PDB file of all heavy atoms in Angstrom:
ATOM      1  N   PRO A 122     127.549  53.080 111.192  1.00  0.00           N
ATOM      2  CA  PRO A 122     126.380  52.304 111.648  1.00  0.00           C
ATOM      3  C   PRO A 122     126.433  52.080 113.154  1.00  0.00           C
ATOM      4  O   PRO A 122     127.509  51.881 113.729  1.00  0.00           O
ATOM      5  CB  PRO A 122     126.520  50.977 110.896  1.00  0.00           C
ATOM      6  CG  PRO A 122     127.974  50.858 110.577  1.00  0.00           C
ATOM      7  CD  PRO A 122     128.463  52.262 110.367  1.00  0.00           C
ATOM      8  N   PRO A 123     125.269  52.096 113.819  1.00  0.00           N
ATOM      9  CA  PRO A 123     125.252  51.786 115.245  1.00  0.00           C
ATOM     10  C   PRO A 123     125.522  50.301 115.462  1.00  0.00           C
ATOM     11  O   PRO A 123     125.352  49.476 114.563  1.00  0.00           O
ATOM     12  CB  PRO A 123     123.832  52.165 115.669  1.00  0.00           C
ATOM     13  CG  PRO A 123     123.016  52.004 114.430  1.00  0.00           C
ATOM     14  CD  PRO A 123     123.917  52.389 113.291  1.00  0.00           C
ATOM     15  N   GLY A 124     125.979  49.978 116.670  1.00  0.00           N
ATOM     16  CA  GLY A 124     126.221  48.582 116.981  1.00  0.00           C
ATOM     17  C   GLY A 124     127.601  48.356 117.557  1.00  0.00           C
ATOM     18  O   GLY A 124     128.271  49.301 117.991  1.00  0.00           O
ATOM     19  N   VAL A 125     128.020  47.094 117.555  1.00  0.00           N
ATOM     20  CA  VAL A 125     129.261  46.690 118.215  1.00  0.00           C
ATOM     21  C   VAL A 125     130.198  46.032 117.214  1.00  0.00           C
ATOM     22  O   VAL A 125     129.766  45.227 116.384  1.00  0.00           O
ATOM     23  CB  VAL A 125     128.973  45.702 119.368  1.00  0.00           C
ATOM     24  CG1 VAL A 125     130.261  45.340 120.109  1.00  0.00           C
ATOM     25  CG2 VAL A 125     127.951  46.281 120.336  1.00  0.00           C
ATOM     26  N   GLU A 126     131.460  46.413 117.252  1.00  0.00           N
ATOM     27  CA  GLU A 126     132.490  45.751 116.453  1.00  0.00           C
ATOM     28  C   GLU A 126     133.777  45.703 117.265  1.00  0.00           C
ATOM     29  O   GLU A 126     133.953  46.458 118.218  1.00  0.00           O
ATOM     30  CB  GLU A 126     132.731  46.482 115.130  1.00  0.00           C
ATOM     31  CG  GLU A 126     133.267  47.895 115.281  1.00  0.00           C
ATOM     32  CD  GLU A 126     133.599  48.544 113.952  1.00  0.00           C
ATOM     33  OE1 GLU A 126     133.939  47.817 113.002  1.00  0.00           O
ATOM     34  OE2 GLU A 126     133.518  49.788 113.869  1.00  0.00           O
ATOM     35  N   THR A 127     134.650  44.790 116.872  1.00  0.00           N
ATOM     36  CA  THR A 127     135.944  44.675 117.534  1.00  0.00           C
ATOM     37  C   THR A 127     137.037  44.961 116.523  1.00  0.00           C
ATOM     38  O   THR A 127     137.064  44.356 115.438  1.00  0.00           O
ATOM     39  CB  THR A 127     136.140  43.283 118.138  1.00  0.00           C
ATOM     40  OG1 THR A 127     135.106  43.039 119.103  1.00  0.00           O
ATOM     41  CG2 THR A 127     137.492  43.178 118.838  1.00  0.00           C
ATOM     42  N   VAL A 128     137.910  45.899 116.862  1.00  0.00           N
ATOM     43  CA  VAL A 128     139.021  46.282 115.989  1.00  0.00           C
ATOM     44  C   VAL A 128     140.312  46.171 116.788  1.00  0.00           C
ATOM     45  O   VAL A 128     140.500  46.881 117.784  1.00  0.00           O
ATOM     46  CB  VAL A 128     138.844  47.716 115.448  1.00  0.00           C
ATOM     47  CG1 VAL A 128     140.048  48.111 114.598  1.00  0.00           C
ATOM     48  CG2 VAL A 128     137.562  47.835 114.650  1.00  0.00           C
ATOM     49  N   ASP A 129     141.193  45.279 116.369  1.00  0.00           N
ATOM     50  CA  ASP A 129     142.499  45.100 117.024  1.00  0.00           C
ATOM     51  C   ASP A 129     142.375  44.947 118.534  1.00  0.00           C
ATOM     52  O   ASP A 129     143.126  45.543 119.309  1.00  0.00           O
ATOM     53  CB  ASP A 129     143.428  46.278 116.690  1.00  0.00           C
ATOM     54  CG  ASP A 129     143.742  46.357 115.199  1.00  0.00           C
ATOM     55  OD1 ASP A 129     143.745  45.305 114.536  1.00  0.00           O
ATOM     56  OD2 ASP A 129     143.978  47.478 114.704  1.00  0.00           O
ATOM     57  N   GLY A 130     141.399  44.165 118.946  1.00  0.00           N
ATOM     58  CA  GLY A 130     141.243  43.870 120.364  1.00  0.00           C
ATOM     59  C   GLY A 130     140.450  44.887 121.152  1.00  0.00           C
ATOM     60  O   GLY A 130     140.223  44.703 122.351  1.00  0.00           O
ATOM     61  N   VAL A 131     140.000  45.961 120.522  1.00  0.00           N
ATOM     62  CA  VAL A 131     139.196  46.986 121.187  1.00  0.00           C
ATOM     63  C   VAL A 131     137.739  46.824 120.766  1.00  0.00           C
ATOM     64  O   VAL A 131     137.428  46.765 119.567  1.00  0.00           O
ATOM     65  CB  VAL A 131     139.689  48.405 120.828  1.00  0.00           C
ATOM     66  CG1 VAL A 131     138.764  49.468 121.420  1.00  0.00           C
ATOM     67  CG2 VAL A 131     141.113  48.605 121.320  1.00  0.00           C
ATOM     68  N   THR A 132     136.840  46.742 121.736  1.00  0.00           N
ATOM     69  CA  THR A 132     135.408  46.644 121.454  1.00  0.00           C
ATOM     70  C   THR A 132     134.831  48.047 121.304  1.00  0.00           C
ATOM     71  O   THR A 132     134.933  48.866 122.224  1.00  0.00           O
ATOM     72  CB  THR A 132     134.673  45.904 122.588  1.00  0.00           C
ATOM     73  OG1 THR A 132     135.225  44.589 122.720  1.00  0.00           O
ATOM     74  CG2 THR A 132     133.185  45.798 122.292  1.00  0.00           C
ATOM     75  N   ILE A 133     134.237  48.314 120.145  1.00  0.00           N
ATOM     76  CA  ILE A 133     133.701  49.643 119.852  1.00  0.00           C
ATOM     77  C   ILE A 133     132.182  49.563 119.823  1.00  0.00           C
ATOM     78  O   ILE A 133     131.606  48.790 119.048  1.00  0.00           O
ATOM     79  CB  ILE A 133     134.225  50.161 118.499  1.00  0.00           C
ATOM     80  CG1 ILE A 133     135.760  50.162 118.499  1.00  0.00           C
ATOM     81  CG2 ILE A 133     133.685  51.563 118.217  1.00  0.00           C
ATOM     82  CD1 ILE A 133     136.353  50.345 117.123  1.00  0.00           C
ATOM     83  N   ARG A 134     131.537  50.326 120.674  1.00  0.00           N
ATOM     84  CA  ARG A 134     130.072  50.417 120.709  1.00  0.00           C
ATOM     85  C   ARG A 134     129.668  51.811 120.245  1.00  0.00           C
ATOM     86  O   ARG A 134     130.058  52.803 120.852  1.00  0.00           O
ATOM     87  CB  ARG A 134     129.536  50.175 122.125  1.00  0.00           C
ATOM     88  CG  ARG A 134     129.804  48.774 122.653  1.00  0.00           C
ATOM     89  CD  ARG A 134     129.242  48.590 124.066  1.00  0.00           C
ATOM     90  NE  ARG A 134     129.487  47.250 124.555  1.00  0.00           N
ATOM     91  CZ  ARG A 134     128.672  46.212 124.368  1.00  0.00           C
ATOM     92  NH1 ARG A 134     127.532  46.398 123.718  1.00  0.00           N
ATOM     93  NH2 ARG A 134     128.985  45.027 124.855  1.00  0.00           N
ATOM     94  N   ARG A 135     128.897  51.854 119.183  1.00  0.00           N
ATOM     95  CA  ARG A 135     128.455  53.143 118.631  1.00  0.00           C
ATOM     96  C   ARG A 135     126.965  53.340 118.895  1.00  0.00           C
ATOM     97  O   ARG A 135     126.158  52.427 118.707  1.00  0.00           O
ATOM     98  CB  ARG A 135     128.723  53.211 117.130  1.00  0.00           C
ATOM     99  CG  ARG A 135     130.200  53.221 116.770  1.00  0.00           C
ATOM    100  CD  ARG A 135     130.390  53.504 115.281  1.00  0.00           C
ATOM    101  NE  ARG A 135     131.790  53.432 114.901  1.00  0.00           N
ATOM    102  CZ  ARG A 135     132.665  54.430 115.015  1.00  0.00           C
ATOM    103  NH1 ARG A 135     132.250  55.590 115.510  1.00  0.00           N
ATOM    104  NH2 ARG A 135     133.921  54.271 114.638  1.00  0.00           N
ATOM    105  N   PHE A 136     126.630  54.582 119.283  1.00  0.00           N
ATOM    106  CA  PHE A 136     125.256  54.959 119.586  1.00  0.00           C
ATOM    107  C   PHE A 136     124.878  56.174 118.740  1.00  0.00           C
ATOM    108  O   PHE A 136     125.713  57.060 118.509  1.00  0.00           O
ATOM    109  CB  PHE A 136     125.112  55.297 121.065  1.00  0.00           C
ATOM    110  CG  PHE A 136     125.546  54.195 121.993  1.00  0.00           C
ATOM    111  CD1 PHE A 136     126.880  54.088 122.395  1.00  0.00           C
ATOM    112  CD2 PHE A 136     124.641  53.264 122.453  1.00  0.00           C
ATOM    113  CE1 PHE A 136     127.293  53.081 123.250  1.00  0.00           C
ATOM    114  CE2 PHE A 136     125.034  52.248 123.321  1.00  0.00           C
ATOM    115  CZ  PHE A 136     126.373  52.150 123.716  1.00  0.00           C
ATOM    116  N   PRO A 137     123.638  56.259 118.275  1.00  0.00           N
ATOM    117  CA  PRO A 137     123.240  57.390 117.416  1.00  0.00           C
ATOM    118  C   PRO A 137     123.343  58.729 118.147  1.00  0.00           C
ATOM    119  O   PRO A 137     122.921  58.862 119.299  1.00  0.00           O
ATOM    120  CB  PRO A 137     121.790  57.074 117.046  1.00  0.00           C
ATOM    121  CG  PRO A 137     121.638  55.600 117.265  1.00  0.00           C
ATOM    122  CD  PRO A 137     122.548  55.271 118.421  1.00  0.00           C
ATOM    123  N   ALA A 138     123.909  59.702 117.466  1.00  0.00           N
ATOM    124  CA  ALA A 138     123.873  61.083 117.947  1.00  0.00           C
ATOM    125  C   ALA A 138     122.499  61.659 117.645  1.00  0.00           C
ATOM    126  O   ALA A 138     121.913  61.388 116.589  1.00  0.00           O
ATOM    127  CB  ALA A 138     124.951  61.909 117.260  1.00  0.00           C
ATOM    128  N   VAL A 139     121.970  62.452 118.569  1.00  0.00           N
ATOM    129  CA  VAL A 139     120.624  63.001 118.433  1.00  0.00           C
ATOM    130  C   VAL A 139     120.686  64.524 118.498  1.00  0.00           C
ATOM    131  O   VAL A 139     121.245  65.084 119.449  1.00  0.00           O
ATOM    132  CB  VAL A 139     119.693  62.461 119.533  1.00  0.00           C
ATOM    133  CG1 VAL A 139     118.329  63.144 119.464  1.00  0.00           C
ATOM    134  CG2 VAL A 139     119.545  60.951 119.424  1.00  0.00           C
ATOM    135  N   ILE A 140     120.123  65.160 117.480  1.00  0.00           N
ATOM    136  CA  ILE A 140     119.898  66.610 117.529  1.00  0.00           C
ATOM    137  C   ILE A 140     118.420  66.821 117.257  1.00  0.00           C
ATOM    138  O   ILE A 140     117.937  66.638 116.134  1.00  0.00           O
ATOM    139  CB  ILE A 140     120.753  67.362 116.500  1.00  0.00           C
ATOM    140  CG1 ILE A 140     122.234  67.247 116.862  1.00  0.00           C
ATOM    141  CG2 ILE A 140     120.350  68.839 116.454  1.00  0.00           C
ATOM    142  CD1 ILE A 140     123.160  67.987 115.931  1.00  0.00           C
ATOM    143  N   SER A 141     117.673  67.167 118.286  1.00  0.00           N
ATOM    144  CA  SER A 141     116.219  67.280 118.173  1.00  0.00           C
ATOM    145  C   SER A 141     115.742  68.713 118.339  1.00  0.00           C
ATOM    146  O   SER A 141     114.547  68.959 118.485  1.00  0.00           O
ATOM    147  CB  SER A 141     115.546  66.383 119.216  1.00  0.00           C
ATOM    148  OG  SER A 141     115.978  66.722 120.520  1.00  0.00           O
ATOM    149  N   THR A 142     116.664  69.661 118.316  1.00  0.00           N
ATOM    150  CA  THR A 142     116.313  71.076 118.460  1.00  0.00           C
ATOM    151  C   THR A 142     116.950  71.857 117.315  1.00  0.00           C
ATOM    152  O   THR A 142     117.910  71.390 116.684  1.00  0.00           O
ATOM    153  CB  THR A 142     116.828  71.636 119.798  1.00  0.00           C
ATOM    154  OG1 THR A 142     118.258  71.606 119.789  1.00  0.00           O
ATOM    155  CG2 THR A 142     116.311  70.818 120.971  1.00  0.00           C
ATOM    156  N   PRO A 143     116.463  73.054 117.026  1.00  0.00           N
ATOM    157  CA  PRO A 143     117.059  73.852 115.940  1.00  0.00           C
ATOM    158  C   PRO A 143     118.399  74.483 116.314  1.00  0.00           C
ATOM    159  O   PRO A 143     119.064  75.061 115.463  1.00  0.00           O
ATOM    160  CB  PRO A 143     116.004  74.923 115.677  1.00  0.00           C
ATOM    161  CG  PRO A 143     115.245  75.041 116.958  1.00  0.00           C
ATOM    162  CD  PRO A 143     115.217  73.660 117.537  1.00  0.00           C
ATOM    163  N   ARG A 144     118.786  74.430 117.567  1.00  0.00           N
ATOM    164  CA  ARG A 144     120.043  74.981 118.075  1.00  0.00           C
ATOM    165  C   ARG A 144     120.115  76.507 117.959  1.00  0.00           C
ATOM    166  O   ARG A 144     121.199  77.093 118.053  1.00  0.00           O
ATOM    167  CB  ARG A 144     121.245  74.333 117.399  1.00  0.00           C
ATOM    168  CG  ARG A 144     121.361  72.850 117.701  1.00  0.00           C
ATOM    169  CD  ARG A 144     122.708  72.289 117.325  1.00  0.00           C
ATOM    170  NE  ARG A 144     122.802  72.018 115.898  1.00  0.00           N
ATOM    171  CZ  ARG A 144     123.865  71.462 115.328  1.00  0.00           C
ATOM    172  NH1 ARG A 144     124.913  71.125 116.044  1.00  0.00           N
ATOM    173  NH2 ARG A 144     123.891  71.234 114.041  1.00  0.00           N
ATOM    174  N   ALA A 145     118.963  77.136 117.761  1.00  0.00           N
ATOM    175  CA  ALA A 145     118.942  78.600 117.679  1.00  0.00           C
ATOM    176  C   ALA A 145     119.198  79.226 119.044  1.00  0.00           C
ATOM    177  O   ALA A 145     119.894  80.235 119.171  1.00  0.00           O
ATOM    178  CB  ALA A 145     117.596  79.068 117.127  1.00  0.00           C
ATOM    179  N   GLU A 146     118.624  78.628 120.082  1.00  0.00           N
ATOM    180  CA  GLU A 146     118.840  79.155 121.428  1.00  0.00           C
ATOM    181  C   GLU A 146     120.318  79.021 121.809  1.00  0.00           C
ATOM    182  O   GLU A 146     120.896  79.926 122.422  1.00  0.00           O
ATOM    183  CB  GLU A 146     117.968  78.407 122.430  1.00  0.00           C
ATOM    184  CG  GLU A 146     118.037  78.982 123.834  1.00  0.00           C
ATOM    185  CD  GLU A 146     117.078  78.297 124.798  1.00  0.00           C
ATOM    186  OE1 GLU A 146     116.838  77.080 124.649  1.00  0.00           O
ATOM    187  OE2 GLU A 146     116.590  78.981 125.711  1.00  0.00           O
ATOM    188  N   ARG A 147     120.931  77.915 121.434  1.00  0.00           N
ATOM    189  CA  ARG A 147     122.350  77.723 121.733  1.00  0.00           C
ATOM    190  C   ARG A 147     123.183  78.826 121.083  1.00  0.00           C
ATOM    191  O   ARG A 147     124.102  79.363 121.700  1.00  0.00           O
ATOM    192  CB  ARG A 147     122.811  76.356 121.235  1.00  0.00           C
ATOM    193  CG  ARG A 147     124.301  76.094 121.475  1.00  0.00           C
ATOM    194  CD  ARG A 147     124.714  74.718 120.951  1.00  0.00           C
ATOM    195  NE  ARG A 147     126.140  74.499 121.074  1.00  0.00           N
ATOM    196  CZ  ARG A 147     126.757  74.017 122.144  1.00  0.00           C
ATOM    197  NH1 ARG A 147     126.045  73.725 123.216  1.00  0.00           N
ATOM    198  NH2 ARG A 147     128.063  73.833 122.157  1.00  0.00           N
ATOM    199  N   ALA A 148     122.860  79.153 119.834  1.00  0.00           N
ATOM    200  CA  ALA A 148     123.620  80.187 119.139  1.00  0.00           C
ATOM    201  C   ALA A 148     123.511  81.526 119.860  1.00  0.00           C
ATOM    202  O   ALA A 148     124.499  82.257 119.996  1.00  0.00           O
ATOM    203  CB  ALA A 148     123.135  80.311 117.701  1.00  0.00           C
TER     204      ALA A 148
END
């Protein structure tokens, strides 16, 4: 899930990964 949590003193901020292309050109 996106958002902020703290684990053992480390603040973790997660952001959504985005894939908005078919990645055919990359291939």
Side-chain angles (χ1 to χ4, degrees):
V125 183
E126 63 175 331
T127 300
V128 177
D129 297 331
V131 175
T132 301
I133 304 167
R134 296 180 179 271
R135 293 189 184 275
F136 304 87
V139 174
I140 293 182
S141 57
T142 65
R144 296 194 280 183
E146 185 175 33
R147 178 180 175 87

